């Protein structure tokens, strides 16, 4: 739906589906209920998530036509997609394999190209379309600095190839499509700082000469095109986990002319580590209830001197819980954004409120997407029926923007 600062939707990765038939069935079951609650009298957007298998199936012309007809009949449209998870995203151990295959591979490049062709066919006239994706790769796969830098370069070159395709589509159709890199804890790009540095020192340095030669344009024009077609996916949960200053990040992006393709509106877990030994033990026990085996739940601890300690998953953090001089924990567990207090823990909802206020005061993107994909593994006490949960979250965003 169109809110006063852009198009608002939810990401369909909350629905468990490993192929297009399962994805489509979940949409047909849940979307009409959500739309009736949120936008009964106006179109409602979809943030479509497709696995590689589902994308292969939806590229079929007849299947794609059937989906387009369903969108029309249900007053729905697709303007953004989640191209981060490549394979099955539920009912399996995902963990660091959410990055598999990474951007060093042809499989990731070809999958993302396929998604853009689907988005090109679905995108309403006059809208820009974006696809969020992995932050190049998972940093702990690389044994040394040389391997890390080689992977970053290989991934960047594949992304430059994709940008060339998006430039060609723009020339041929006028459609503005952009790839939205999503920094994530333990990705090769995990912070706003790392994204901006990569954009300037790797993407532009490598990409501008390549695209200038390919399209017979100046390097300045090539740079301008890169800035149109490669953006940041601002996942609020991920930036909150790193204790990042949202206003400062956005100000630097604006100053450097780097766009934000979409806001993924999501919340992490947090808690101040304080009180008696018994009170701290109760906080540790509360975090332990979120220790499940499907996804990575990285933890970033804030020390009293302002420095950070990063843990690759919740079990390692729990083992080190008694470390001294820790002020706060934040954990990468997407919890419903409409909930602020979860027993002794809290969500990073305040970060969302801050970012939405910045968007309201000076819009910096057209795309807003609620992303709480952990519904199946949420503790029962905060789990609502899925359509109701999504509706609550969308309504919370609408109320916050109002």
């Amino acid at each position: 739906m169109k809110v006063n600062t852009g198009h608002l939707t939810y990401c369909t990765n909350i629905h468990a589906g490993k192929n297009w038939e399962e994805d489509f069935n979940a949409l047909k079951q849940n979307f009409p209920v959500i739309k009736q609650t949120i936008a009964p009298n106006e179109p409602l957007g979809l943030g479509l998530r497709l696995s590689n298998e589902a994308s292969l199936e939806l590229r079929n012309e007849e299947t794609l036509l059937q989906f387009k007809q369903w969108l029309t009949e249900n007053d729905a449209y697709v303007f953004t997609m989640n191209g981060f998870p490549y394979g099955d995203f539920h009912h399996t151990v995902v963990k660091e394999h959410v990055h598999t295959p990474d951007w060093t591979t042809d499989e990731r490049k070809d999958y993302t190209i396929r998604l853009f062709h689907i988005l090109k066919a679905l995108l309403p006239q006059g809208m820009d379309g974006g696809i969020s994706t992995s932050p190049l790769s998972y940093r702990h796969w690389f044994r040394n600095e040389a391997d890390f830098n080689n992977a970053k370069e290989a991934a960047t070159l594949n992304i430059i190839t994709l940008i060339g395709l998006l430039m060609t589509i723009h020339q041929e159709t006028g459609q503005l499509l952009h790839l939205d890199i999503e920094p994530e804890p333990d990705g090769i790009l995990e912070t706003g700082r790392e994204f901006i540095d990569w954009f300037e020192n790797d993407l532009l340095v490598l990409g501008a000469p390549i695209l200038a030669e390919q399209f017979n344009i100046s390097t300045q024009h090539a740079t301008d095109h890169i800035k149109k077609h490669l953006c940041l996916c601002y996942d609020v949960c991920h930036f909150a986990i790193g204790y990042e200053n949202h206003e400062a990040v956005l100000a630097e992006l604006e100053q450097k002319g780097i766009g934000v393709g979409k806001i993924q509106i999501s919340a992490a877990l947090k808690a101040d580590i304080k009180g008696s030994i018994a009170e701290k033990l109760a906080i540790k026990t509360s975090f332990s209830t979120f220790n499940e085996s499907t996804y990575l739940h990285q933890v970033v601890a804030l020390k009293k001197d302002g420095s950070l300690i990063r843990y690759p998953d919740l079990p390692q953090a729990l083992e080190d819980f008694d470390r001294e001089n820790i002020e706060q924990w934040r954990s990468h567990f997407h919890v419903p954004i409409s909930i602020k207090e979860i027993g002794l823990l809290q969500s990073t909802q305040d970060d969302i409120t801050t970012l939405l206020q910045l968007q309201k005061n000076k819009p910096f993107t057209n795309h807003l997407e609620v992303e709480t994909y952990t519904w199946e593994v949420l503790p029962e006490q905060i789990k609502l029926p899925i359509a109701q949960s999504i509706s609550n979250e969308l309504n919370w965003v609408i109320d916050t923007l109002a």
Side-chain angles (χ1 to χ4, degrees):
M1 76 180 286
K2 189 75 168 67
V3 293
N4 61 351
T5 62
H7 295 271
L8 174 64
T9 183
Y10 76 97
C11 183
T12 63
N13 65 356
I14 195 171
H15 302 309
K18 61 184 179 183
N19 56 44
W20 175 243
E21 181 181 8
E22 292 182 6
D23 289 342
F24 200 18
N25 285 338
L27 286 174
K28 288 186 282 191
Q29 179 180 347
N30 292 285
F31 181 80
V33 179
I34 296 165
K35 185 178 185 307
Q36 184 59 35
T37 304
I38 300 299
N41 301 314
E42 61 180 304
L44 179 62
L46 271 175
L48 195 62
R49 183 263 157 170
L50 300 172
S51 68
N52 181 61
E53 181 179 345
S55 72
L56 288 166
E57 294 164 343
L58 194 54
R59 277 289 280 161
N60 176 275
E61 287 187 17
E62 185 177 338
T63 305
L64 189 59
L65 179 60
Q66 180 188 33
F67 181 48
K68 291 177 74 171
Q69 290 173 338
W70 180 86
L71 289 170
T72 300
E73 291 166 0
N74 286 271
D75 205 10
Y77 60 99
V78 174
F79 63 94
T80 186
M81 297 173 71
N82 186 338
F84 197 141
Y86 177 95
D88 195 0
F89 198 53
H90 299 272
H91 310 145
T92 187
V93 177
V94 178
K95 295 295 181 179
E96 70 271 19
H97 297 295
V98 71
H99 295 273
T100 304
D102 66 13
W103 269 104
T104 67
T105 67
D106 287 340
E107 288 86 354
R108 170 65 64 173
K109 179 184 65 177
D110 294 344
Y111 162 65
T112 310
I113 288 172
R114 191 180 311 117
L115 292 182
F116 270 111
H117 281 299
I118 293 170
L119 181 58
K120 173 187 169 185
L122 297 175
L123 188 66
Q125 187 173 3
M127 290 188 193
D128 64 305
I131 296 176
S132 52
T133 192
S134 158
L136 309 189
S137 188
Y138 183 65
R139 67 172 55 225
H140 296 306
W141 285 338
F142 306 103
R143 295 169 296 174
N144 53 53
E145 186 177 358
D147 287 348
F148 181 91
N149 289 333
N150 288 338
K152 183 165 65 169
E153 180 177 350
T156 304
L157 289 170
N158 273 333
I159 287 172
I160 291 165
T161 299
L162 177 68
I163 292 171
L165 169 70
L166 302 184
M167 289 171 63
T168 299
I169 291 173
H170 184 61
Q171 286 179 345
E172 294 174 349
T173 70
Q175 290 177 307
L176 177 57
L177 303 177
H178 42 85
L179 183 68
D180 304 330
I181 300 286
E182 181 181 340
E184 170 166 298
D186 291 331
I188 280 184
L189 308 176
E190 65 178 347
T191 65
R193 173 81 276 130
E194 289 180 351
F195 170 79
I196 293 169
D197 289 346
W198 167 78
F199 194 105
E200 291 195 309
N201 302 326
D202 296 275
L203 181 65
L204 292 182
V205 170
L206 285 171
I210 291 172
L211 295 171
E213 182 177 359
Q214 180 181 342
F215 289 89
N216 193 27
I217 56 178
S218 68
T219 53
Q220 182 57 56
H221 280 133
T223 296
D224 294 341
H225 284 294
I226 290 170
K227 289 183 176 182
K228 285 181 184 176
H229 296 294
L230 194 290
C231 299
L232 173 68
C233 171
Y234 203 116
D235 187 304
V236 189
C237 168
H238 299 167
F239 280 75
I241 292 166
Y243 303 85
E244 300 204 44
N245 182 318
H246 305 296
E247 191 167 10
V249 171
L250 292 174
E252 185 171 0
L253 290 169
E254 182 183 24
Q255 186 265 324
K256 295 178 182 298
I258 302 172
V260 176
K262 72 175 167 184
I263 304 170
Q264 278 187 330
I265 305 169
S266 54
L269 284 171
K270 72 174 183 179
D272 293 328
I273 310 301
K274 61 183 181 180
S276 65
I277 293 175
E279 288 170 327
K280 289 182 178 179
L281 180 59
I283 292 171
K284 179 181 180 181
T285 301
S286 296
F287 271 110
S288 298
T289 63
F290 289 87
N291 185 19
E292 59 81 40
S293 61
T294 303
Y295 307 107
L296 280 176
H297 302 295
Q298 298 96 334
V299 172
V300 182
L302 175 66
K303 297 178 69 176
K304 291 182 179 178
D305 64 4
S307 62
L308 304 177
I309 303 173
R310 296 179 178 273
Y311 300 94
D313 205 353
L314 190 51
Q316 293 92 326
L318 290 168
E319 289 175 6
D320 199 37
F321 187 84
D322 295 328
R323 179 187 285 262
E324 294 183 353
N325 298 318
I326 298 299
E327 188 169 291
Q328 190 178 99
W329 263 25
R330 296 188 178 188
S331 178
H332 183 204
F333 196 115
H334 284 222
V335 292
I337 63 172
S338 54
I339 300 175
K340 189 170 183 178
E341 303 288 334
I342 307 169
L344 295 176
L345 309 181
Q346 301 84 45
S347 79
T348 56
Q349 187 190 82
D350 287 345
D351 286 76
I352 302 173
T353 302
T354 296
L355 198 73
L356 291 181
Q357 189 62 47
L358 291 168
Q359 166 73 0
K360 182 178 179 180
N361 292 342
K362 188 178 182 181
F364 52 87
T365 181
N366 294 323
H367 297 178
L368 295 84
E369 177 187 60
V370 172
E371 193 208 21
T372 307
Y373 58 79
T374 53
W375 185 84
E376 288 197 339
V377 297
L378 287 174
E380 291 300 323
Q381 66 267 26
I382 61 173
K383 185 187 290 189
L384 296 171
I386 190 166
Q388 182 182 346
S389 180
I390 295 167
S391 298
N392 285 354
E393 295 195 305
L394 291 169
N395 271 325
W396 183 87
V397 174
I398 292 166
D399 291 343
T400 300
L401 286 170

